[in-house]
Amino acid sequence: MKIHITETDQSRISEVDFKNLQFGRVFSDHMLEMVYRDGQWQEPEIKPYGPVEFKPSMQALHYGQAIFEGMKAYHVDDETIHLFRPKDHHRRLNNSAHRMCMPKIEEEVFLKGLEKLIALDHQWVPKERGHALYVRPFMFASEEYLAAKVSNEYRFYVITSPVAAYYSEGFNPVKLTTSEKFVRAVRGGTGEAKAAGNYAASFLPAKTAQKKGFTQVIWLDAIENRYIEEVGTMNIFFLMNGKLVTPELTGSVLPGITRRSVITVAKDWGIDVEERRVSIDEVIESDRAGKLEEVFGSGTAAVISPVGLIHHDGETIRLDEEKIGPFAKKMFDTITGIQYGKLADKFNWTHPISID
Ligand SMILES: Cc1ncc(COP(=O)(O)O)c(C=O)c1O
């Protein structure tokens, strides 16, 4: 496979304040672009990051065929960068593509494209522990056609962005509330795809929750309005009765890569892990009985995010609002230790990229 590379003649890296990185605001010098037309993907290209031309009739803008992924690359040493579980992100991208009637991408093209792009922009991978290069692959329908139909043309891009540690000033437990009025996804819908529209639909409920002083919505299932699904951009775990419980993947929950990593590590520690339906009432009862030990979210951005409070229908569960629990901390240290190459990668999760 050939990737045509056009290097920038004016790097922007010297303009970046690596000490004050805001998530998703700064983009590295290059991007990968690949066009799908006439029933196939054309050769990928790496070019300077910059404006992309399209027409107002482009289908993605009207009918929403748009999907994305999010993963991170970590600085290990001056010769090595670790990409975390890129094959799993590739598989999920293709599953999202399938649900949204979009074309799949070959694993080799995806991996080689990422390797070349990240190696070229290796100086953009922040060196400080906790910092990383956020990698955002995305695909959208690009045919110029005002018809609510499957597009015949697509574009695929990968852009990257240096990001600071999520918890640069210590862990900040999130405050969650259920939503009385809204749901995120319904079984049979698009909840298990990483489709752009899922996020647009979550903004109004999230804004409503934030006005009431909560950080995010904890989503309940759309049918019985009882079973917990996930949170904002995280999956959720409950340490109760000595067991680690997380909602099962019913089709309306995004299958998080970090979720899978947490399950694998916990099982490796000999913890009982249950992937099953877990109702909000069960969590409240477990708290009342003094059996709810810790609650935390999992996702690429924060890795592990402690939950300090859950509000539902007039009831409030208060966990430790000041800090992260010992189990969640140990999980955070283990997963990030593997990501930064400080702990043995016994599950084969890291994908080393060498910088030549
Ligand atoms: C809705 C939603 N749930 C869960 C997650 C966590 O997934 P991952 O661990 O793959 O980042 C994300 C982030 O991608 C998300 O957007």
Coordinates of all heavy atoms in Angstrom, one line a residue, residues 256-323:
G256 N -17.1 0.4 24.9 CA -15.8 1.1 25.2 C -14.6 0.2 25.2 O -14.7 -0.9 25.7
I257 N -13.5 0.7 24.6 CA -12.3 -0.1 24.6 C -11.7 -0.1 26.1 O -11.2 -1.1 26.5 CB -11.2 0.5 23.6 CG1 -11.9 0.8 22.3 CG2 -10.0 -0.4 23.5 CD1 -12.3 -0.4 21.5
T258 N -11.8 1.1 26.7 CA -11.3 1.1 28.1 C -12.2 0.2 29.0 O -11.6 -0.4 29.9 CB -11.4 2.6 28.7 OG1 -11.1 3.5 27.6 CG2 -10.5 2.8 29.8
R259 N -13.5 0.1 28.8 CA -14.4 -0.8 29.5 C -13.8 -2.2 29.4 O -13.7 -2.9 30.4 CB -15.8 -0.7 28.9 CG -16.8 -1.7 29.4 CD -18.1 -1.6 28.7 NE -19.1 -2.6 29.2 CZ -19.1 -3.9 28.8 NH1 -18.2 -4.4 28.0 NH2 -20.0 -4.7 29.3
R260 N -13.5 -2.6 28.2 CA -13.0 -4.0 28.0 C -11.6 -4.1 28.7 O -11.4 -5.2 29.3 CB -12.8 -4.2 26.5 CG -12.6 -5.5 25.9 CD -13.4 -6.7 26.2 NE -14.8 -6.6 26.3 CZ -15.6 -7.3 27.1 NH1 -15.0 -8.1 28.0 NH2 -16.9 -7.2 27.1
S261 N -10.8 -3.1 28.7 CA -9.5 -3.2 29.4 C -9.7 -3.3 30.9 O -9.0 -4.1 31.6 CB -8.6 -1.9 29.2 OG -8.5 -1.7 27.8
V262 N -10.7 -2.6 31.5 CA -10.9 -2.6 32.9 C -11.4 -4.0 33.3 O -10.9 -4.6 34.3 CB -12.0 -1.6 33.3 CG1 -12.5 -1.8 34.7 CG2 -11.5 -0.2 33.2
I263 N -12.3 -4.6 32.5 CA -12.8 -5.9 32.8 C -11.7 -7.0 32.8 O -11.6 -7.8 33.7 CB -13.9 -6.3 31.7 CG1 -15.1 -5.4 31.9 CG2 -14.3 -7.8 31.8 CD1 -16.2 -5.6 30.9
T264 N -10.8 -6.9 31.8 CA -9.7 -7.8 31.6 C -8.7 -7.7 32.8 O -8.3 -8.7 33.4 CB -8.9 -7.5 30.3 OG1 -9.8 -7.6 29.3 CG2 -7.8 -8.5 30.1
V265 N -8.4 -6.5 33.2 CA -7.5 -6.3 34.3 C -8.1 -6.8 35.6 O -7.5 -7.5 36.4 CB -7.0 -4.8 34.5 CG1 -6.3 -4.5 35.8 CG2 -6.2 -4.4 33.3
A266 N -9.4 -6.4 35.9 CA -10.0 -6.9 37.1 C -10.1 -8.4 37.2 O -9.8 -9.0 38.3 CB -11.4 -6.3 37.2
K267 N -10.4 -9.0 36.1 CA -10.4 -10.5 36.1 C -9.0 -11.1 36.4 O -8.9 -12.1 37.1 CB -11.0 -11.0 34.8 CG -12.5 -10.9 34.6 CD -13.0 -11.6 33.4 CE -14.5 -11.5 33.3 NZ -15.0 -11.8 32.0
D268 N -8.0 -10.4 35.8 CA -6.7 -10.8 36.0 C -6.3 -10.7 37.5 O -5.5 -11.5 38.0 CB -5.7 -10.0 35.2 CG -4.3 -10.4 35.2 OD1 -4.0 -11.6 34.9 OD2 -3.4 -9.6 35.6
W269 N -6.9 -9.8 38.2 CA -6.6 -9.6 39.7 C -7.4 -10.6 40.5 O -7.4 -10.6 41.7 CB -7.0 -8.2 40.1 CG -6.1 -7.1 39.6 CD1 -4.9 -7.2 39.1 CD2 -6.4 -5.7 39.6 NE1 -4.4 -6.0 38.8 CE2 -5.3 -5.0 39.1 CE3 -7.5 -4.9 40.0 CZ2 -5.3 -3.6 38.9 CZ3 -7.5 -3.6 39.9 CH2 -6.4 -2.9 39.4
G270 N -8.3 -11.4 39.8 CA -9.1 -12.4 40.6 C -10.4 -11.8 41.1 O -11.0 -12.4 41.9
I271 N -10.8 -10.6 40.6 CA -12.1 -10.0 41.0 C -13.2 -10.6 40.2 O -13.1 -10.9 39.0 CB -12.0 -8.5 40.7 CG1 -10.8 -7.8 41.3 CG2 -13.3 -7.8 41.1 CD1 -10.8 -7.6 42.7
D272 N -14.3 -10.8 40.8 CA -15.5 -11.3 40.1 C -16.1 -10.1 39.3 O -16.4 -9.1 39.9 CB -16.6 -11.7 41.2 CG -16.5 -13.1 41.5 OD1 -15.8 -13.9 40.8 OD2 -17.2 -13.5 42.5
V273 N -16.2 -10.3 38.0 CA -16.8 -9.2 37.2 C -18.1 -9.7 36.6 O -18.2 -10.8 36.1 CB -15.8 -8.8 36.0 CG1 -16.4 -7.7 35.2 CG2 -14.4 -8.5 36.6
E274 N -19.1 -8.9 36.8 CA -20.4 -9.2 36.2 C -20.8 -8.2 35.2 O -20.9 -7.0 35.5 CB -21.5 -9.2 37.3 CG -21.2 -10.3 38.3 CD -22.3 -10.4 39.5 OE1 -23.1 -9.4 39.5 OE2 -22.2 -11.3 40.2
E275 N -21.0 -8.6 33.9 CA -21.6 -7.8 32.9 C -23.0 -8.2 32.8 O -23.4 -9.3 32.3 CB -20.9 -8.1 31.5 CG -19.5 -7.6 31.5 CD -18.9 -7.9 30.1 OE1 -19.3 -7.4 29.1 OE2 -18.0 -8.8 30.0
R276 N -23.9 -7.3 33.3 CA -25.3 -7.7 33.4 C -26.2 -6.4 33.5 O -25.6 -5.3 33.6 CB -25.6 -8.6 34.6 CG -25.2 -7.9 36.0 CD -25.8 -8.7 37.1 NE -25.3 -8.3 38.4 CZ -25.8 -7.3 39.1 NH1 -26.8 -6.6 38.6 NH2 -25.3 -7.0 40.3
R277 N -27.5 -6.6 33.5 CA -28.3 -5.5 33.7 C -28.2 -5.0 35.1 O -28.2 -5.8 36.1 CB -29.8 -5.8 33.4 CG -30.0 -6.3 31.9 CD -31.2 -5.7 31.3 NE -32.4 -6.4 31.9 CZ -33.6 -6.2 31.4 NH1 -33.8 -5.3 30.5 NH2 -34.6 -6.8 32.0
V278 N -28.1 -3.7 35.3 CA -28.0 -3.2 36.7 C -28.9 -2.0 36.8 O -28.8 -1.0 36.0 CB -26.5 -2.9 37.1 CG1 -25.7 -2.2 36.1 CG2 -26.4 -2.2 38.5
S279 N -29.9 -2.1 37.6 CA -30.9 -1.0 37.7 C -30.4 0.1 38.7 O -29.6 -0.2 39.6 CB -32.3 -1.6 38.1 OG -32.2 -1.9 39.5
I280 N -31.0 1.3 38.5 CA -30.6 2.4 39.4 C -31.1 2.1 40.8 O -30.5 2.4 41.8 CB -31.2 3.7 38.8 CG1 -30.8 4.9 39.6 CG2 -32.7 3.7 38.6 CD1 -29.3 5.3 39.5
D281 N -32.3 1.3 40.9 CA -32.8 1.0 42.2 C -31.8 0.0 43.0 O -31.6 0.1 44.1 CB -34.1 0.3 42.1 CG -35.1 1.1 41.3 OD1 -35.1 2.3 41.6 OD2 -35.8 0.6 40.5
E282 N -31.2 -0.9 42.2 CA -30.2 -1.8 42.8 C -29.0 -1.0 43.4 O -28.6 -1.3 44.5 CB -29.7 -2.8 41.8 CG -28.7 -3.8 42.4 CD -28.0 -4.7 41.4 OE1 -28.5 -4.8 40.2 OE2 -27.0 -5.3 41.7
V283 N -28.6 0.0 42.6 CA -27.5 0.8 43.1 C -27.8 1.6 44.3 O -27.1 1.6 45.3 CB -27.0 1.7 41.9 CG1 -25.9 2.7 42.4 CG2 -26.4 0.9 40.8
I284 N -29.0 2.2 44.4 CA -29.5 2.9 45.5 C -29.6 2.0 46.7 O -29.2 2.3 47.8 CB -30.8 3.6 45.2 CG1 -30.6 4.7 44.2 CG2 -31.5 4.2 46.5 CD1 -31.9 5.4 43.6
E285 N -30.2 0.8 46.5 CA -30.4 -0.1 47.6 C -29.0 -0.6 48.2 O -28.8 -0.7 49.4 CB -31.2 -1.4 47.2 CG -32.7 -1.1 47.3 CD -33.5 -2.0 46.4 OE1 -33.0 -3.1 46.1 OE2 -34.6 -1.5 45.9
S286 N -28.1 -0.9 47.2 CA -26.8 -1.3 47.6 C -26.1 -0.2 48.5 O -25.4 -0.5 49.5 CB -26.0 -1.7 46.4 OG -24.6 -1.6 46.6
D287 N -26.3 1.0 48.1 CA -25.7 2.2 48.9 C -26.3 2.2 50.3 O -25.6 2.3 51.3 CB -26.0 3.5 48.1 CG -25.3 4.7 48.8 OD1 -24.2 4.6 49.2 OD2 -26.1 5.6 49.1
R288 N -27.7 2.1 50.3 CA -28.4 2.1 51.6 C -27.9 1.0 52.5 O -27.8 1.2 53.7 CB -29.9 1.9 51.4 CG -30.5 3.2 51.0 CD -32.0 3.1 51.3 NE -32.7 4.1 50.5 CZ -33.7 3.8 49.7 NH1 -34.2 2.6 49.5 NH2 -34.3 4.8 49.0
A289 N -27.6 -0.2 51.9 CA -27.1 -1.3 52.7 C -25.6 -1.2 53.1 O -25.1 -2.1 53.6 CB -27.5 -2.6 52.0
G290 N -25.0 -0.1 52.6 CA -23.6 0.1 52.9 C -22.7 -0.9 52.1 O -21.5 -1.1 52.4
K291 N -23.2 -1.3 50.9 CA -22.4 -2.3 50.1 C -21.9 -1.7 48.8 O -21.3 -2.4 48.0 CB -23.3 -3.5 49.8 CG -23.6 -4.3 51.0 CD -24.4 -5.5 50.7 CE -24.5 -6.4 52.0 NZ -25.5 -7.4 51.9
L292 N -22.2 -0.4 48.6 CA -21.6 0.2 47.4 C -20.3 0.9 47.8 O -20.2 1.9 48.5 CB -22.6 1.3 46.9 CG -22.3 2.0 45.6 CD1 -22.2 1.0 44.4 CD2 -23.3 3.1 45.3
E293 N -19.2 0.3 47.2 CA -17.9 0.8 47.6 C -17.4 1.9 46.8 O -16.9 2.9 47.2 CB -16.9 -0.4 47.6 CG -17.3 -1.5 48.6 CD -16.6 -2.8 48.3 OE1 -15.4 -2.9 48.2 OE2 -17.4 -3.8 48.1
E294 N -17.4 1.7 45.4 CA -16.9 2.7 44.5 C -17.7 2.7 43.2 O -18.3 1.7 42.8 CB -15.4 2.4 44.1 CG -14.5 2.5 45.3 CD -13.0 2.3 44.8 OE1 -12.7 2.6 43.7 OE2 -12.3 1.8 45.7
V295 N -17.8 3.9 42.6 CA -18.4 4.0 41.3 C -17.4 4.8 40.4 O -16.8 5.8 40.9 CB -19.7 4.7 41.3 CG1 -20.3 4.8 39.9 CG2 -20.7 4.1 42.3
F296 N -17.1 4.3 39.2 CA -16.2 5.0 38.3 C -16.6 4.8 36.9 O -17.2 3.8 36.5 CB -14.7 4.7 38.6 CG -14.4 3.3 38.4 CD1 -14.0 2.8 37.1 CD2 -14.5 2.4 39.4 CE1 -13.6 1.5 37.0 CE2 -14.1 1.0 39.3 CZ -13.7 0.6 38.0
G297 N -16.2 5.8 36.0 CA -16.4 5.7 34.6 C -15.1 5.3 33.9 O -14.1 5.5 34.5
S298 N -15.2 4.8 32.7 CA -14.1 4.5 31.9 C -14.2 5.0 30.5 O -15.3 4.9 29.9 CB -13.9 2.9 31.9 OG -14.9 2.4 31.1
G299 N -13.1 5.6 30.0 CA -13.1 6.1 28.6 C -11.7 6.6 28.3 O -10.9 6.8 29.1
T300 N -11.5 6.7 27.0 CA -10.2 7.1 26.5 C -9.7 8.4 27.1 O -8.5 8.5 27.4 CB -10.2 7.2 24.9 OG1 -10.5 5.8 24.4 CG2 -8.9 7.6 24.4
A301 N -10.5 9.4 27.2 CA -10.1 10.7 27.6 C -9.5 10.7 29.0 O -8.4 11.2 29.2 CB -11.2 11.7 27.5
A302 N -10.2 10.2 30.0 CA -9.8 10.3 31.4 C -9.2 8.9 31.8 O -8.6 8.9 32.9 CB -10.9 10.6 32.3
V303 N -9.4 7.9 31.1 CA -9.1 6.5 31.4 C -10.0 6.0 32.5 O -10.9 5.2 32.3 CB -7.6 6.2 31.8 CG1 -7.3 4.7 32.0 CG2 -6.7 6.7 30.7
I304 N -9.9 6.5 33.7 CA -10.8 6.2 34.8 C -11.2 7.5 35.5 O -10.4 8.4 35.7 CB -10.1 5.4 35.9 CG1 -9.6 4.0 35.4 CG2 -11.0 5.2 37.2 CD1 -10.7 3.1 34.9
S305 N -12.5 7.6 35.7 CA -13.1 8.9 36.2 C -13.9 8.6 37.4 O -15.0 7.9 37.3 CB -13.9 9.5 35.1 OG -14.4 10.7 35.5
P306 N -13.5 9.0 38.6 CA -14.3 8.6 39.8 C -15.7 9.4 39.8 O -15.8 10.5 39.4 CB -13.5 9.1 41.0 CG -12.5 10.1 40.4 CD -12.3 9.7 39.0
V307 N -16.7 8.7 40.3 CA -18.0 9.3 40.4 C -18.2 9.7 41.9 O -18.0 8.8 42.8 CB -19.1 8.3 39.9 CG1 -20.5 8.9 40.2 CG2 -18.9 8.0 38.5
G308 N -18.5 10.9 42.2 CA -18.7 11.4 43.6 C -20.1 11.4 44.0 O -20.4 11.4 45.3
L309 N -21.1 11.5 43.1 CA -22.5 11.6 43.5 C -23.4 11.2 42.3 O -23.1 11.4 41.2 CB -22.7 13.1 43.7 CG -24.0 13.6 44.2 CD1 -23.8 14.9 45.1 CD2 -24.9 14.0 43.0
I310 N -24.5 10.5 42.7 CA -25.5 10.1 41.7 C -26.8 10.6 42.2 O -27.2 10.2 43.4 CB -25.5 8.6 41.4 CG1 -24.2 8.1 41.0 CG2 -26.6 8.3 40.4 CD1 -24.1 6.6 40.8
H311 N -27.6 11.3 41.4 CA -28.9 11.8 41.8 C -29.9 11.1 40.9 O -29.8 11.0 39.7 CB -29.0 13.3 41.6 CG -30.3 13.9 41.9 ND1 -31.2 14.1 41.0 CD2 -30.8 14.2 43.1 CE1 -32.3 14.6 41.6 NE2 -32.1 14.6 42.9
H312 N -31.0 10.6 41.5 CA -32.1 10.0 40.8 C -33.4 10.2 41.5 O -33.5 9.7 42.6 CB -31.8 8.5 40.6 CG -33.0 7.7 40.0 ND1 -33.4 7.9 38.7 CD2 -33.8 6.8 40.5 CE1 -34.5 7.2 38.5 NE2 -34.7 6.5 39.6
D313 N -34.3 10.8 40.9 CA -35.7 10.9 41.3 C -35.8 11.3 42.8 O -36.4 10.5 43.6 CB -36.3 9.5 41.1 CG -37.9 9.6 41.1 OD1 -38.4 10.7 41.0 OD2 -38.5 8.5 41.3
G314 N -35.1 12.3 43.2 CA -35.2 12.8 44.6 C -34.2 12.2 45.6 O -34.1 12.6 46.7
E315 N -33.5 11.1 45.1 CA -32.6 10.4 46.0 C -31.2 10.8 45.6 O -30.9 10.9 44.4 CB -32.7 8.9 45.8 CG -34.0 8.3 46.1 CD -34.0 7.5 47.3 OE1 -33.0 7.5 48.1 OE2 -34.9 6.7 47.5
T316 N -30.3 10.9 46.5 CA -28.9 11.2 46.2 C -27.9 10.2 46.9 O -28.0 10.0 48.1 CB -28.5 12.6 46.6 OG1 -29.4 13.5 46.0 CG2 -27.1 13.0 46.2
I317 N -27.1 9.6 46.0 CA -26.0 8.8 46.6 C -24.7 9.6 46.6 O -24.3 10.2 45.6 CB -25.8 7.5 45.7 CG1 -27.0 6.7 45.6 CG2 -24.6 6.7 46.1 CD1 -26.9 5.5 44.6
R318 N -24.1 9.7 47.8 CA -22.9 10.4 47.9 C -21.8 9.4 48.1 O -21.7 8.7 49.1 CB -22.9 11.4 49.1 CG -23.5 12.7 48.7 CD -23.7 13.6 49.9 NE -25.0 14.2 49.8 CZ -25.2 15.3 49.0 NH1 -24.2 15.7 48.3 NH2 -26.4 15.8 48.9
L319 N -20.8 9.4 47.2 CA -19.6 8.6 47.4 C -18.6 9.6 47.9 O -19.0 10.6 48.3 CB -19.3 7.9 46.1 CG -20.4 6.9 45.7 CD1 -20.9 7.1 44.3 CD2 -19.9 5.5 45.9
D320 N -17.4 9.2 47.8 CA -16.4 10.2 48.3 C -16.3 11.3 47.3 O -15.8 11.1 46.2 CB -15.0 9.6 48.6 CG -14.2 10.5 49.4 OD1 -14.3 11.7 49.3 OD2 -13.3 9.9 50.2
E321 N -16.8 12.5 47.6 CA -16.8 13.6 46.6 C -15.4 14.3 46.4 O -15.3 15.1 45.6 CB -17.8 14.7 47.0 CG -19.2 14.2 46.8 CD -20.2 15.3 47.0 OE1 -20.1 16.4 46.5 OE2 -21.2 15.1 47.8
E322 N -14.5 13.9 47.3 CA -13.2 14.6 47.2 C -12.2 13.8 46.4 O -11.3 14.4 45.8 CB -12.6 14.7 48.6 CG -13.5 15.6 49.6 CD -13.6 17.0 49.0 OE1 -12.6 17.6 48.5 OE2 -14.8 17.5 49.1
K323 N -12.3 12.5 46.4 CA -11.2 11.7 45.8 C -11.6 10.4 45.1 O -12.7 10.0 45.2 CB -10.1 11.5 46.8 CG -10.5 10.8 48.1 CD -9.3 10.6 49.0 CE -9.5 9.6 50.1 NZ -10.5 9.9 51.1

